[in-house]
Amino acid sequence: PLSSSSSSSSSSSSASSVKVSKPPLKRRFDLETVLKIQKEQLRLFSSEKVQTELNAMRISADFEEQRFLYRVRSYKVEVHESLLKEYNFECTQAGLSLFERGIAAHMADHEEVSSNMKAIAKLI
């Protein structure tokens, strides 16, 4: 009984040391494209027209974060319309979500992408 338990623990420890390699991530955009998109997002969301509209939405939501976020969802699709069309995404909330996930896939690997995303979020 003692030898069988020790052999099973040694076989489990050798099995746990085997590394399974993950397939490389398939990314919707390359890094250069992501940075180009983010530059355009920063331009769009920092424009006076968009900032005025966002401020009006904040006021009409009585500065309640949940109400504001609900209202801004459809507006984000509107602001992104030219980019969504350029990169062949539907101009819908679902299309924007796929588009944003394609950009976010580079966040962990590239500090510039991450800092750009934070800057865009601050504008919204």
Side-chain angles (χ1 to χ4, degrees), residues 10-39:
S10 68
S11 66
S12 68
S13 67
S14 65
S16 66
S17 65
V18 175
K19 293 184 179 179
V20 178
S21 63
K22 294 180 182 178
L25 290 175
K26 290 183 182 177
R27 294 193 172 160
R28 199 172 301 276
F29 303 115
D30 61 29
L31 177 60
E32 183 178 328
T33 302
V34 166
L35 294 173
K36 178 183 171 189
I37 289 168
Q38 287 185 317
K39 183 178 181 181

Side-chain angles (χ1 to χ4, degrees), residues 44-112:
L44 289 168
F45 281 100
S46 63
S47 74
E48 185 177 343
K49 176 186 174 203
V50 171
Q51 285 299 305
T52 300
E53 187 67 30
L54 289 170
N55 285 332
M57 286 181 190
R58 276 186 199 89
I59 291 167
S60 69
D62 294 326
F63 296 96
E64 288 183 31
E65 188 72 13
Q66 292 291 16
R67 289 173 68 187
F68 171 71
L69 291 175
Y70 180 77
R71 292 175 184 196
V72 82
R73 286 175 55 202
S74 61
Y75 187 61
K76 281 178 63 180
V77 174
E78 184 182 323
V79 173
H80 279 93
E81 185 175 352
S82 62
L83 284 169
L84 293 171
K85 286 179 179 177
E86 181 178 347
Y87 292 97
N88 300 313
F89 286 85
E90 290 181 18
C91 292
T92 62
Q93 188 62 44
L96 179 59
S97 181
L98 287 172
F99 182 78
E100 289 177 332
R101 277 188 261 152
I103 294 166
H106 290 271
M107 256 183 76
D109 300 338
H110 302 283
E111 180 59 35
E112 186 176 1

